Amino acid sequence: MKNIAANELKVRGVAAIDQALGEDTEAIISVRGLDRYVVMDLASYNRLRVCELDAALYQCHQEIEAGEGIEESAERHLERIQSEKP
């Protein structure tokens, strides 16, 4: 993964990111020698979000199968949480 120093980013701007992403799908931005941020193109970000949502959905299904969750309609959910308010 390409590393971009914050100073390089200040001088070259988006061109530094474009060059780094031309070589890899992600790049790390370091500030004062410490890795602080990761940048990626939008397509890579969208793939990552889909994976996160799939993992969350899988976890919900596992909790319901284990009897740890509640399966209900949106309307019933709103009624339940509103009735639980102090």
Side-chain angles (χ1 to χ4, degrees):
M1 189 178 317
K2 173 81 170 151
N3 199 311
I4 306 169
N7 285 338
E8 180 182 358
L9 191 55
K10 287 179 192 175
V11 172
R12 296 188 54 225
V14 175
I17 295 172
D18 284 340
Q19 180 182 359
L21 294 181
E23 300 167 11
D24 207 340
T25 59
E26 302 166 348
I28 295 174
I29 298 174
S30 60
V31 180
R32 295 185 185 95
L34 299 174
D35 294 345
R36 295 285 309 270
Y37 307 100
V38 174
V39 293
M40 62 184 70
D41 64 25
L42 190 57
S44 296
Y45 174 78
N46 286 333
R47 280 192 301 275
L48 182 61
R49 289 293 296 149
V50 167
C51 290
E52 290 174 336
L53 294 172
D54 285 343
L57 184 59
Y58 176 79
Q59 182 180 0
C60 289
H61 286 289
Q62 295 300 307
E63 290 173 3
I64 289 170
E65 286 179 16
E68 299 169 356
I70 299 171
E71 191 171 1
E72 63 191 2
S73 69
E75 292 80 14
R76 174 64 191 118
H77 176 71
L78 289 173
E79 289 171 7
R80 184 172 53 82
I81 63 172
Q82 288 173 348
S83 68
E84 293 175 358
K85 287 184 181 179

